[in-house]
Amino acid sequence: MYEYGNYLWVIGKVPEEMRGSFAQIFEVAKSNGKSISINELVVNADGRVSKTLRDYGPVSDPVFWERLQKLEELFLSKNIPYFDIRAKNILVKELEDGHMIPVLIAYKRVGIRTYPLQLNLLTKAGMSMRIIKKFLRLRELYKPN
């Protein structure tokens, strides 16, 4: 339920043209007494399931990196404390036109509640710096020179 609430809060701040970069959570249900999320299965244009950036490896498509830059700018401009920016939480979705876009799949680490002892995240500057560093790390590891 916590992750679903985070998803709803984040997606409410995302412009329509960027929503394709956020995997949908349709609902939360109970199974064997536990909460489970019913999520979108992110697939490529050819029907294959999209791989995580970690599994995909370096991405040379400039469209992917432009979209990732727009996500970073969105989080910073709308003060969205989205901290789950890691290669295992980003899918590389291949589109019909041959380009790729990042799709975020995790919403557990939204807000400072998940980092209670990091008081620097209480400030806009601290939150922004955390987001900038996480995106920079992705570029260092997965964007070919």
Side-chain angles (χ1 to χ4, degrees):
M1 286 303 294
Y2 175 74
E3 187 171 14
Y4 184 55
N6 286 345
Y7 165 76
L8 292 175
W9 183 79
V10 169
I11 207 68
K13 293 180 168 270
V14 174
E16 190 65 39
E17 68 272 9
M18 292 295 291
R19 289 191 177 181
S21 280
F22 294 84
Q24 289 183 287
I25 299 177
F26 299 114
E27 66 178 301
V28 176
K30 290 276 187 184
S31 176
N32 296 326
K34 295 183 181 185
S35 288
I36 59 166
S37 295
I38 311 300
N39 298 5
E40 167 188 12
L41 178 63
V42 179
V43 295
N44 298 328
D46 64 4
R48 290 179 297 124
V49 175
S50 300
K51 292 181 180 181
T52 66
L53 179 57
R54 182 177 66 185
D55 292 337
Y56 190 93
V59 176
S60 59
D61 183 9
V63 170
F64 178 91
W65 295 105
E66 289 166 14
R67 183 69 167 244
L68 203 67
Q69 179 68 38
K70 286 180 182 177
L71 288 170
E72 180 178 2
E73 291 166 5
L74 172 72
F75 294 151
L76 295 172
S77 69
K78 301 272 188 182
N79 296 320
I80 301 171
Y82 186 95
F83 300 129
D84 247 349
I85 305 159
R86 297 185 281 180
K88 72 178 189 172
N89 293 333
I90 299 173
L91 299 178
V92 179
K93 182 176 181 176
E94 299 172 12
L95 306 175
E96 283 274 328
D97 65 6
H99 288 296
M100 300 171 191
I101 62 167
V103 178
L104 305 175
I105 59 170
Y107 306 97
K108 289 181 188 85
R109 296 207 181 267
V110 174
I112 62 165
R113 220 172 116 187
T114 57
Y115 299 99
L117 300 177
Q118 296 184 27
L119 299 179
N120 62 315
L121 297 179
L122 290 172
T123 67
K124 184 175 181 343
M127 180 197 74
S128 296
M129 186 56 65
R130 169 68 59 94
I131 289 170
I132 290 167
K133 283 182 178 180
K134 286 186 169 271
F135 277 99
L136 180 61
R137 183 76 175 142
L138 288 177
R139 288 183 195 96
E140 289 171 347
L141 293 173
Y142 296 98
K143 184 176 182 182
N145 293 337

